[in-house]
Amino acid sequence: QKEVEQNSGPLSVPEGAIASLNCTYSDRGSQSFFWYRQYSGKSPELIMFIYSNGDKEDGRFTAQLNKASQYVSLLIRDSQPSDSATYLCAVTRMDSSYKLIFGSGTRLLVRP
Amino acid sequence: DADVTQTPRNRITKTGKRIMLECSQTKGHDRMYWYRQDPGLGLRLIYYSFDVKDINKGEISDGYSVSRQAQAKFSLSLESAIPNQTALYFCATSDRRKGQPQHFGDGTRLSIL
């Protein structure tokens, strides 16, 4: 089992719809959770982080965390073609290194 | 100017050559990381450094070495490059506080023929 799992996609949604991206993780001690957006050939760009159970909203983006079920999700409201990218979920581990463990990413396609 | 700068941005070289990729940052972060990214495999950690005197191997360190010349500089070397080291390489930095995000440079596209 991978430490951080994401569906590779592609997830295809029409413009204006809500895109829902999911991520599960295996380390129950994980405390910090991040979503990065990566356009093809470009570097990962941090878009959201969440530390506590519940929802966190920032503009069109909402991160949701459920530690009991070990999943974190990202909702993108009013999806735009410019949101088409790969979304990487990253989780910290509880060992002393505090490294980020990345999922392989979900590719999102927003159809005009 | 970018906060995390990688040089070169692109490099094509031959098998057996020694290559150095450089990373410098102006964010004042203590922690620095080197990743490689291959299609379908995601980001894999090569080496990381928590300060100038603390360097650690990641999950795929074989064939690579690093040098932390200063708080702001972290270099990755391929002593004798081989074709399966062809990949996109990223440097990242983070603050020393627990659970902080990592910030990435623009990457180096490395091709080994």
Side-chain angles (χ1 to χ4, degrees), chain B residues 28-46:
Chain B
H29 287 165
D30 289 313
R31 300 182 174 188
M32 299 187 73
Y33 311 80
W34 276 104
Y35 291 91
R36 67 177 278 176
Q37 188 174 41
D38 301 271
L41 293 179
L43 285 161
R44 293 184 291 168
L45 184 63
I46 306 172

Side-chain angles (χ1 to χ4, degrees), chain A residues 2 31-32 34 36 38 41-46 49 51 88 92 96-100 102-104, chain B residues 31 33 35 37 40-43 45 48 50 88 90 98-107 109:
Chain A
K2 291 183 180 178
Q31 293 189 337
S32 304
F34 306 91
Y36 287 82
Q38 187 176 25
K42 303 297 184 182
S43 63
E45 172 193 5
L46 180 71
F49 60 90
Y51 301 138
L88 304 174
T92 56
S96 60
S97 62
Y98 298 106
K99 295 179 292 185
L100 286 186
F102 286 86
S104 297
Chain B
R31 300 182 174 188
Y33 311 80
Y35 291 91
Q37 188 174 41
L41 293 179
L43 285 161
L45 184 63
Y48 61 102
F50 284 174
L88 190 53
F90 290 107
K98 283 191 272 187
Q100 294 299 299
Q102 293 179 14
H103 302 269
F104 287 80
D106 288 338
R109 186 169 295 280

